[in-house]
């Protein structure tokens, strides 16, 4: 939604005095999935879709918020017991609470927000919301919180007020995004590097199955527990191993008999995925998109068969891409539904989209939604 529209809706709700307007994007991730809570690498970029919020202090001790797209309001204070009941308002509340926990003073405000990043599609609508408010409050209140901590405020909101024990990738990408660049982040050292991404002759496109998995957050948390258990067991023999990122397949195989089969499969995927991110970075530097694409298919296979976070519809779209000769394709984000990300040669693009829509509709009764990826800037004031 444009700045003007958000301001107009704000004035209808809260009066004419002008608010400030902030925006933060969702993200894509080229490769490196479920690696961010394993101390490993991710390779995301911010996109041209996200959340936009108008905000103005109201002189009270509470927040009055209106979610434009849902036509719902919420009002809450800043104490732990003031947790709002509306799911979306928990993100705003969590951000305020996490700022307060870090010693910041938050003042009551009125706000409206709207988003064009599809919910539950694996493009991080929730991180976009958290980053918008973390960035806005930090700016408006002059709190001096650095960008890493803004991302951590969003991540802690997920952990403590939403119940998803996520990694840092989504919030990091939403805050640090840079137009035309992917970002390789080492989630252990938090070192990062921008990679200009303009693959000549190729396009990145997302195909959204519109499948939303009800139990995705508990399934996500269980994956994380499996990884931590495997890492801890390995650390029993190799104390230098803090995260799975530090482990090799040889080390994992040594403890194979000591851990459940499921934990072994999850850990194997993570160790292989870590290597794939590094391989993709090398391939990108050489302009070798065939290798990039091959690694994307390998990731899909691992996420489907070892990590078990794909679903029938995503596997179907991945097969269609492969049969159509698409360079790379895989499930993107946490999984359990949402999108595939596809690296497609320009000349195949139209026929692939047409084919994917027709085949998906014939099988599931509706077409997948298609989103072209435009890599854009991170959190900002408009
Ligand atoms: C979700 C989480 C991220 C990351 C991805 C999977 O998007 O929020 O931290 O773990 O899943 O890569």
């Amino acid at each position: 939604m444009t700045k003007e529209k958000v301001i107009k809706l704000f004035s209808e709700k809260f009066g004419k005095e002008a608010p400030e307007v902030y925006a933060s994007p969702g993200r894509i991730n080229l490769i490196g999935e479920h690696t961010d809570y394993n101390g490993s690498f991710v390779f995301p970029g911010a996109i041209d879709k996200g959340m936009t919020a108008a905000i103005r202090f109201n002189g009270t001790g509470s927040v009055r918020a209106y979610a434009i797209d849902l036509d719902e309001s919420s009002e809450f204070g800043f104490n732990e017991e003031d947790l709002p009941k509306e799911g979306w308002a928990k993100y705003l509340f969590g951000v305020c609470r996490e700022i307060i926990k870090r010693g910041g003073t938050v003042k009551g405000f009125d706000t409206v927000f709207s988003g064009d990043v599809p919910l539950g599609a694996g493009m991080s609508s929730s991180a976009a919301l958290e980053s918008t408010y973390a960035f806005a409050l930090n700016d408006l209140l002059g709190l001096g919180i650095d960008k890493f901590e803004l991302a951590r405020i969003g991540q802690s909101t997920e952990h403590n007020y939403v119940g998803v024990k996520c990694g840092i990738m989504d919030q990091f990408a939403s805050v640090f995004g840079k137009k035309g660049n992917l970002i390789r982040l080492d989630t252990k050292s938090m070192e990062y590097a921008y990679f200009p991404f303009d693959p000549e002759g190729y396009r990145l496109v997302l195909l959204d199955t519109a499948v939303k998995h009800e139990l995705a957050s508990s399934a996500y948390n269980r994956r994380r527990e499996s990884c931590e258990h495997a890492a801890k067991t390995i650390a029993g023999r190799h104390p230098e191993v803090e995260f799975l990122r530090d482990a090799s397949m040889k080390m994992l195989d040594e403890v194979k008999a000591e851990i459940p089969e499921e934990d072994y499969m999850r850990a194997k995927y993570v160790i292989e995925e870590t290597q794939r991110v590094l391989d993709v970075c090398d391939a990108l530097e050489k302009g070798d998109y065939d290798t990039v694409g091959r690694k994307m298919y390998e990731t899909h296979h691992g996420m489907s068969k070892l990590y078990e976070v794909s679903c029938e519809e995503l596997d179907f779209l991945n097969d269609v891409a492969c049969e159509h000769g698409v360079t790379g394709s895989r499930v993107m984000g946490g999984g359990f539904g949402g999108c595939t990300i596809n690296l497609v040669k320009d000349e195949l693009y139209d026929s692939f989209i047409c084919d994917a829509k027709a085949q998906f509709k014939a099988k599931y009764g509706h077409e997948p939604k298609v989103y072209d990826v435009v890599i854009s800037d991170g959190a900002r004031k408009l």
Side-chain angles (χ1 to χ4, degrees):
M1 185 172 279
T2 60
K3 181 178 175 185
E4 291 67 34
K5 277 195 187 154
V6 176
I7 292 179
K8 184 168 173 288
L9 283 153
F10 182 92
S11 67
E12 284 169 22
K13 276 274 157 198
F14 299 114
K16 289 263 171 283
E17 203 188 318
E20 303 292 348
V21 181
Y22 292 84
S24 285
R27 60 106 190 87
I28 55 126
N29 186 28
L30 186 65
I31 198 148
E33 221 65 88
H34 290 275
T35 43
D36 60 350
Y37 49 85
N38 286 301
S40 188
F41 304 98
V42 289
F43 210 170
I47 53 174
D48 61 334
K49 295 177 177 45
M51 294 286 172
T52 306
I55 174 166
R56 193 186 64 208
F57 294 114
N58 60 19
T60 75
S62 42
V63 174
R64 293 183 297 184
Y66 176 61
I68 296 171
D69 309 324
L70 301 169
D71 188 20
E72 266 182 38
S73 297
S74 180
E75 187 165 348
F76 54 84
F78 295 129
N79 296 314
E80 201 63 27
E81 59 273 19
D82 297 329
L83 179 77
K85 62 176 188 318
E86 299 80 12
W88 56 270
K90 292 189 167 71
Y91 294 99
L92 279 64
F93 176 78
V95 167
C96 295
R97 285 294 310 155
E98 291 298 331
I99 290 176
I100 292 166
K101 287 182 201 168
R102 286 162 175 78
T105 304
V106 180
K107 296 196 286 185
F109 59 88
D110 294 335
T111 184
V112 306
F113 70 90
S114 171
D116 59 359
V117 53
L119 302 178
M123 290 183 230
S124 302
S125 51
S126 53
L129 194 55
E130 291 147 10
S131 304
T132 301
Y133 284 95
F135 188 91
L137 290 170
N138 184 42
D139 190 49
L140 290 167
L141 294 165
L143 298 172
I145 301 172
D146 71 33
K147 283 167 82 178
F148 285 114
E149 205 54 32
L150 290 181
R152 286 194 196 98
I153 284 171
Q155 184 193 24
S156 306
T157 296
E158 297 276 352
H159 286 201
N160 300 328
Y161 300 97
V162 185
V164 180
K165 302 288 180 197
C166 65
I168 193 73
M169 167 168 73
D170 305 352
Q171 293 79 9
F172 177 86
S174 187
V175 172
F176 283 79
K178 184 167 154 188
K179 195 173 173 189
N181 285 260
L182 296 179
I183 324 169
R184 191 183 74 184
L185 171 69
D186 177 334
T187 64
K188 190 173 176 188
S189 66
M190 290 304 276
E191 279 167 20
Y192 64 99
Y194 289 106
F195 275 67
F197 187 73
D198 183 18
E200 212 181 312
Y202 292 85
R203 286 168 75 170
L204 270 185
V205 61
L206 307 181
L207 294 182
D208 184 359
T209 59
V211 173
K212 293 182 184 25
H213 197 292
E214 288 266 303
L215 298 173
S217 53
S218 53
Y220 181 98
N221 292 348
R222 278 204 306 281
R223 300 296 181 287
R224 183 173 182 148
E225 281 164 22
S226 281
C227 292
E228 286 171 356
H229 180 237
K232 212 170 147 202
T233 312
I234 295 172
R237 296 170 184 231
H238 301 276
E240 71 278 18
V241 172
E242 189 184 351
F243 297 104
L244 278 181
R245 178 260 175 88
D246 309 314
S248 62
M249 271 312 294
K250 186 167 168 283
M251 292 174 181
L252 177 63
D253 282 331
E254 285 168 14
V255 301
K256 190 170 183 189
E258 294 164 40
I259 58 176
E261 167 75 12
E262 209 175 78
D263 293 4
Y264 177 84
M265 283 159 55
R266 310 298 188 237
K268 179 171 192 286
Y269 162 79
V270 171
I271 292 170
E272 290 175 352
E273 181 73 350
T274 297
Q275 187 56 46
R276 278 192 287 267
V277 184
L278 299 174
D279 292 346
V280 161
C281 289
D282 285 349
L284 275 181
E285 273 168 354
K286 296 183 199 132
D288 174 3
Y289 294 105
D290 285 338
T291 299
V292 174
R294 203 175 58 247
K295 296 288 158 191
M296 290 170 75
Y297 280 111
E298 286 174 21
T299 294
H300 185 88
H301 187 263
M303 286 178 81
S304 178
K305 304 291 180 258
L306 294 173
Y307 220 66
E308 297 181 298
V309 292
S310 186
C311 65
E312 192 195 309
E313 291 85 344
L314 287 164
D315 288 347
F316 183 80
L317 283 179
N318 188 257
D319 287 344
V320 173
C322 187
E323 281 156 20
H324 206 92
V326 167
T327 306
S329 176
R330 66 176 192 82
V331 42
M332 189 186 75
F336 310 105
C339 290
T340 59
I341 179 168
N342 303 274
L343 180 66
V344 193
K345 279 206 171 110
D346 283 341
E347 60 267 28
L348 274 186
Y349 181 88
D350 289 339
S351 62
F352 168 55
I353 297 299
C354 190
D355 192 18
K357 280 183 172 175
Q359 288 204 42
F360 195 85
K361 182 161 188 201
K363 179 129 181 154
Y364 298 108
H366 66 92
E367 289 182 352
K369 291 194 202 97
V370 179
Y371 303 106
D372 285 304
V373 172
V374 181
I375 300 173
S376 307
D377 285 325
R380 62 204 176 272
K381 185 174 184 177
L382 296 185

